[in-house]
Structures are given as C-alpha cells and as structure tokens.
Amino acid sequence: MKLTVLAVTGALACAGIACAEDFPVKPVRMIVGFAPGGSTDLVARVVAQKMSEAWGQQVVVDNRPGAVGNIAAETVANAAPDGYTLFVAASAQLAVNPAVFPKLPFDPVKSFAPVSFVGSVPNMLVANPSLPVRTLKEFIAFAKARPGQLSYASAGSGSTAHLSIELLKLETGIELVHVPYRGSGPATIDLLSGQIQSMMGSPAATLNYVKAGRVRALAQTSIKRSSLIPDIPTLAESGLKDYDVTTWYGFWAPARMPHAVTQKLHAETVRLLALPDTRQLLTTQGLEPLGNTPEEARAFLAAEIKLYGDIVKKIGRASCRERV
C-alpha cells in the first residue's frame, strides 16, 4: 500500500512538473472585473499581448463587470487551478471590498494564489488655484481654520482616492466635505470650474491640468515619489510619516494551483515587465511597473486589507454606501 501511495504521489508530482514545462498548451483567460477602457483593462491588454507573443498561445482578456469587481473575483475563485484562468485584480477588489461588503462570495487571501503585482499609481491631492495654498501643510492649516467649509471630490465613495483623503483627515483632524462622482472625468470638470475646491485622484486625470497651471498639485500618496511625477512631494515627506496609499494592479490565480505553474507565470510576468516597450506602454497609461514574488504579494495584500479595514471601520460603511 505504501509503495502504491508513493507511486501515485510521484506520478502526480511529475504530472505537475510536466504541466509547468508545457504550459500553456491552450488559450489563457485574463478575467477583468471592469468594462473595457479602464485602467485594469488596459493593464491586462498590455501584458496579454506580450504573453501571447512569447508563448504562441492566445491570451484573451475576458471582461466581467459588475458588483465592483466581485463577479470577476468569484469567477476566478471557482475556476480550475491550472493556470488557464487568471484574475487581473485592482486594489479595490481584493483590499477595499472586504471592508466595504459585509459578505463576499470569496476570500481575498484564501481563494487566490498570488502571481505578481504588475503596476501601481499614487493618488494625487490637487486644489483649484483659487484656494490660497501651495503645499500640503498650508492646505491642512487652511482647512483646520475652516472646519467643514472645504469640499473635495473623488471618483466615487469607497474608491482608493476617497479612502486616501479619509486617511488624511483621520491623521490630521481636518474636516472636509466629500463630494463623490461617478468617475474622475466629471469630478475634474467641477474642480476646474471651482465648484469643488480640491480633489484626490489619479495623475492621469489631472496631471495635464497641473502642467497647464489650471490646478495645483499639493502631494502624492505613495511613500516614495513616483517616477511619473517626481516633482510632487509625498504626504510622508510633507509631515505624515509612513503615509502610503496607492492604487495597484496584479495577477492572481485560483488557489491550489501547482507551485511550478505559479512560478512559471511569475517568471514570465516579471520578464515581460522588464522589457522597455512593456514599461513604456504601462507608463504611458500612468502606471509605474512593478514585479514582486508571490510571497511578497501575499504579505502586501494582507497589509492592505488591514489598512483599508481600519479606515472603513473608523469612518463607517455608510460612507462607502454609494459604491455598494
């Protein structure tokens, strides 16, 4: 009996290794939880094209919008753990949603096998030039002197942009009125017109207006200055020690995927991210390319879940209600 068990175990191990060596032998699906044209979709399409060229196999982007990305996440969580179904996840889906939704049809940690992060982008605090502030410290002082009188826009309640500024409020004690929009476009329009005094959003939404002098950049939210906006100081260097919030994107697979397949997917992702043309395509979309190990990705996700969980617990789920 022991010999039979060992033989079967050895056969399964060999099958897993052979699977990794031959992978992929059929088309690979990248599941995206949002409609075509958004940042997550663009990340998926850039890498999918490169993987298709490298493997000689079709890598298809499959858009499954709905429920703030939860439909896509559930689809991948229930897929076969063979590497042929990948989840192109954004921070909102795996780190924010667990705090916003009381019940999810998947576990953000246990249901998935991390492959690698792909890219990230900091949020950026900007202000209408009519506001007499030029630095984060001046903005905080101005807001403290006028509690509840200043407004800020975000791309939606419960978004990373919204929670970024809520964390700023928690750490500084300032009182700002949140005006959520359905996307960065309409929020930026009202910021330009002066209907909204400030906004937390992506550089892609406002950087051109900053360069044109139509809005004023005060700070970026990553712990280190992004190479995409190197002239804008971080909140951390502006006095908020350890402040670090970004919107990130990465590849996850269904849990229990063979380790060898995970490693092959990881190695290929990191190799592609190092290519100059891949990096250029991502930076053109406003993303800073990343690449880390599955173990690093898992640890970082756990920290992000705690970060957003703490913020939402303090401000209440009701503050994220429109998003749900």
Side-chain angles (χ1 to χ4, degrees), residues 91-224:
S91 47
Q93 295 164 282
L94 293 184
V96 177
N97 282 0
V100 174
F101 292 86
K103 291 184 179 180
L104 288 173
F106 59 88
D107 185 294
V109 174
K110 297 179 181 178
S111 298
F112 305 102
V115 175
S116 177
F117 280 89
V118 176
S120 71
V121 59
N123 290 309
M124 192 163 68
L125 178 62
V126 294
N128 185 281
S130 64
L131 209 62
V133 298
R134 293 186 174 275
T135 67
L136 177 67
K137 289 182 179 179
E138 290 178 355
F139 177 80
I140 293 171
F142 192 79
K144 280 188 174 180
R146 297 160 182 81
Q149 296 180 35
L150 299 184
S151 59
Y152 79 92
S154 78
S157 294
S159 64
T160 56
H162 170 214
L163 297 181
S164 291
I165 208 161
E166 289 298 329
L167 179 59
L168 170 63
K169 289 167 57 179
L170 288 169
E171 294 197 356
T172 62
I174 60 175
E175 297 178 25
L176 304 173
V177 178
H178 180 213
V179 183
Y181 288 78
R182 291 187 177 276
S184 297
T188 304
I189 290 172
D190 280 1
L191 174 70
L192 292 170
S193 69
Q195 294 186 52
I196 297 294
Q197 287 89 31
S198 61
M199 173 179 168
M200 184 72 87
S202 69
T206 58
L207 189 55
N208 287 337
Y209 298 111
V210 171
K211 292 178 179 178
R214 298 185 64 186
V215 298
R216 187 173 292 147
L218 303 179
Q220 56 178 298
T221 62
S222 53
I223 192 71
K224 295 180 180 179

Side-chain angles (χ1 to χ4, degrees), residues 61-78:
V61 176
D62 185 355
N63 297 88
R64 301 285 185 93
V68 201
N70 288 337
I71 292 174
E74 183 180 12
T75 299
V76 177
N78 294 328

Side-chain angles (χ1 to χ4, degrees), residues 17-25 84 264:
I17 295 171
C19 177
E21 290 176 351
D22 298 337
F23 179 88
V25 296
Y84 289 97
K264 185 166 185 178

